[in-house]
């Protein structure tokens, strides 16, 4: 499923900058800027997909819905390109650029591409975690299989991308955009069908509720109790199951780096009476589990911040790298290497090192 979906996505994304310049008549700077905006939107929609998955729909339903949106977007792009954008017939290659287009045709193109961004963005953060859900952490064999799953999952992603960057990229570079887009749509549709075929065998988990409200409750409760004195041993911290507190302490999971948030779980005399009456206000008193979840998120922020500059460079692969490939002399004998194949070096190196990594285990 991941290999086919990635093939479909990069069948559009890897050559999108060339489509904007050759078919829509944009200059290199505008085309690269529009591709960067589109790629950024994919990642923003990933936040939406993750939120809906964890809060309301669950991972299975979220994957199925957003993959369906993805397929619809690809079909819409294929139809609009074939019927409106690729005029006159045979245009869109490096030798023959297309003519002007109406506002409606441009709007339909952008609607289709951003529908693709919505579908792929909402699907991507959930499919890997849904795959991880299929393995039991308590079973040693399944734990080992889970490690292998992620390696082969990422390998499938790169192989799908490699096919798009070489085979589909070749056809699209020659001006056969409709063939490339329809192949992407077919691949995405097949990926969705295969995903749905496995439905009876999947392990399903219920969504855990709105994570934003749980996160906000800890911040509000800790701020309200910023003057409260805490016991160093943590005996005054609240947990629905008293065994949970000792479990956190024994496993070393209790994070002392951000002790301020522990105040959200401190039980005051007033709240002690509310607990007895089963009338706890989560905006005043949170569980230790909830506090530790917030700390885990905050500990990930430095890692996320460090990836920003990497992402800035990585994004250039879909715009600057391809434009550079289009400007270079890429002919070997009589064969012309498509510009999108510039990104294949990254994919091949990743695929090679996945095999090396797996052999090391």
């Amino acid at each position: 499923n991941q290999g086919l979906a990635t093939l479909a996505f990069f069948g559009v994304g890897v050559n999108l900058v060339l489509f904007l310049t050759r078919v829509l008549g944009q200059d290199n700077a505008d085309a690269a800027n529009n591709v960067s905006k589109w790629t950024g939107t994919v990642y923003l929609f990933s936040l939406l997909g993750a939120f809906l998955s964890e809060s309301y729909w669950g991972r299975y339903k979220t994957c199925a819905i957003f993959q369906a949106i993805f397929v619809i977007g690809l079909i819409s792009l294929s139809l609009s390109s074939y019927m409106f954008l690729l005029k006159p017939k045979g245009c869109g290659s490096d030798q023959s650029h297309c003519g002007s287009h109406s506002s409606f045709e441009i709007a339909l193109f952008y609607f289709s591409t951003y529908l693709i961004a919505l579908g792929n963005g909402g699907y991507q953060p959930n499919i890997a975690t849904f795959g991880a859900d299929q393995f039991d952490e308590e079973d040693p064999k399944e734990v080992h299989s889970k490690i292998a799953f992620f390696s082969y999952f990422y390998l499938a992603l790169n192989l799908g991308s490699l096919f798009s960057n070489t085979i589909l990229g070749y056809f699209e570079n020659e001006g056969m955009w409709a063939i490339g887009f329809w192949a992407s749509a077919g691949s995405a549709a097949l990926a969705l069908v295969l995903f749905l075929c496995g439905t009876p065998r999947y392990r399903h988990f219920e969504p855990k509720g709105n994570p934003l409200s749980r996160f906000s409750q800890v911040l509000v409760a800790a701020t309200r109790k910023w003057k409260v004195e805490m016991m160093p041993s943590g005996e005054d911290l609240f947990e629905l199951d008293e065994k949970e507190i000792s479990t956190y302490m024994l496993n070393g999971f209790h994070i002392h780096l951000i002790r301020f948030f522990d105040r959200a779980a401190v039980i005051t005399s007033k709240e002690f009476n509310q607990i007895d009456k089963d009338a706890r206000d989560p905006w005043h008193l949170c569980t230790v589990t909830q506090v530790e979840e917030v700390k885990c998120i905050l500990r990930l922020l430095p890692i996320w911040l460090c990836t920003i500059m990497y992402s800035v460079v990585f994004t250039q692969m879909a715009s600057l790298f391809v434009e550079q490939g289009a400007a270079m002399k890429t002919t070997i004998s009589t064969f012309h290497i498509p510009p999108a194949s510039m990104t294949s070096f990254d994919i091949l190196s990743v695929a090679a090192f996945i095999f090396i990594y797996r052999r090391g285990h």
Side-chain angles (χ1 to χ4, degrees):
N1 172 269
Q2 175 66 8
L4 290 169
T6 305
L7 185 157
F9 177 74
F10 282 101
V12 175
V14 75
N15 264 328
L16 185 59
V17 67
L18 295 182
F19 189 89
L20 292 174
T21 54
R22 296 177 181 178
V23 178
L24 299 189
Q26 298 180 7
D27 59 41
N28 283 345
D30 288 338
N33 191 31
N34 285 327
V35 170
S36 296
K37 291 177 181 177
W38 180 76
T39 305
T41 306
V42 173
Y43 293 125
L44 287 176
F45 283 138
S46 295
L47 297 176
L48 174 64
F51 173 78
L52 291 173
S53 170
E54 293 295 325
S55 304
Y56 304 108
W57 292 349
R59 295 188 180 112
Y60 169 79
K61 185 183 292 186
T62 304
C63 287
I65 291 174
F66 279 104
Q67 281 192 76
I69 295 173
F70 184 45
V71 172
I72 293 171
L74 285 166
I75 293 174
S76 176
L77 177 63
S78 302
L79 285 173
S80 61
S81 298
Y82 178 76
M83 296 174 62
F84 305 119
L85 301 177
L86 298 173
K87 304 292 183 180
K89 186 177 180 180
C91 71
S93 66
D94 57 345
Q95 304 294 329
S96 175
H97 292 201
C98 297
S100 60
H101 303 91
S102 67
S103 299
F104 169 77
E105 293 169 347
I106 299 295
L108 183 59
F109 165 78
Y110 278 112
F111 172 77
S112 302
T113 53
Y114 278 91
L115 204 60
I116 293 170
L118 172 62
N120 186 262
Y123 150 85
Q124 280 298 335
N126 295 296
I127 190 66
T129 49
F130 183 66
D133 286 344
Q134 309 310 308
F135 300 93
D136 185 0
E137 290 284 351
E138 303 298 325
D139 188 325
K141 291 184 178 179
E142 291 198 22
V143 169
H144 185 268
S145 297
K146 184 177 180 179
I147 297 173
F149 163 76
F150 280 110
S151 295
Y152 294 126
F153 180 88
Y154 197 58
L155 177 63
L157 183 154
N158 280 276
L159 291 178
S161 177
L162 180 64
F163 185 90
S164 298
N165 295 0
T166 53
I167 307 301
L168 292 187
Y170 175 80
F171 285 104
E172 292 173 353
N173 185 60
E174 296 299 315
M176 291 177 277
W177 294 96
I179 293 177
F181 291 161
W182 279 116
S184 295
S187 178
L190 180 58
L192 176 59
V193 170
L194 290 175
F195 177 79
L196 295 176
C197 285
T199 300
R201 298 175 59 86
Y202 294 141
R203 290 172 176 168
H204 300 268
F205 295 89
E206 293 293 328
K208 299 177 181 178
N210 190 336
L212 294 180
S213 62
R214 289 174 60 84
F215 187 92
S216 302
Q217 286 167 359
V218 174
L219 297 182
V220 172
T223 303
R224 284 173 169 170
K225 298 178 182 177
W226 68 281
K227 291 184 178 181
V228 172
E229 294 293 332
M230 294 189 303
M231 296 179 64
S233 61
E235 294 177 0
D236 56 342
L237 299 181
F238 171 69
E239 182 57 65
L240 294 175
D241 184 354
E242 294 181 359
K243 294 180 180 179
E244 290 289 338
I245 295 182
S246 59
T247 302
Y248 280 116
M249 303 303 178
L250 290 173
N251 291 342
F253 191 66
H254 189 68
I255 306 166
H256 294 275
L257 182 63
I258 319 175
R259 287 296 307 274
F260 169 78
F261 295 103
D262 288 343
R263 288 174 167 79
V266 173
I267 307 173
T268 63
S269 57
K270 180 180 179 181
E271 290 165 346
F272 185 80
N273 295 328
Q274 290 178 335
I275 294 172
D276 291 340
K277 297 176 181 178
D278 196 23
R280 177 177 67 92
D281 182 357
W283 295 93
H284 285 83
L285 178 62
C286 303
T287 65
V288 174
T289 303
Q290 200 171 338
V291 172
E292 297 303 326
E293 289 172 352
V294 171
K295 290 182 181 181
C296 286
I297 293 173
L298 294 176
R299 290 178 73 192
L300 290 174
L301 289 181
I303 301 174
W304 173 75
L305 291 172
C306 291
T307 64
I308 292 177
M309 289 309 300
Y310 164 79
S311 298
V312 170
V313 177
F314 185 78
T315 304
Q316 306 308 310
M317 292 181 62
S319 54
L320 181 63
F321 277 32
V322 179
E323 289 181 343
Q324 180 65 39
M328 291 169 58
K329 181 181 179 181
T330 57
T331 302
I332 298 179
S333 184
T334 59
F335 180 73
H336 179 63
I337 301 174
S341 295
M342 291 286 289
T343 59
S344 299
F345 296 103
D346 166 70
I347 299 167
L348 291 171
S349 64
V350 169
F353 277 99
I354 287 175
F355 279 114
I356 294 173
Y357 177 79
R358 289 302 307 151
R359 288 185 66 85
H361 275 69

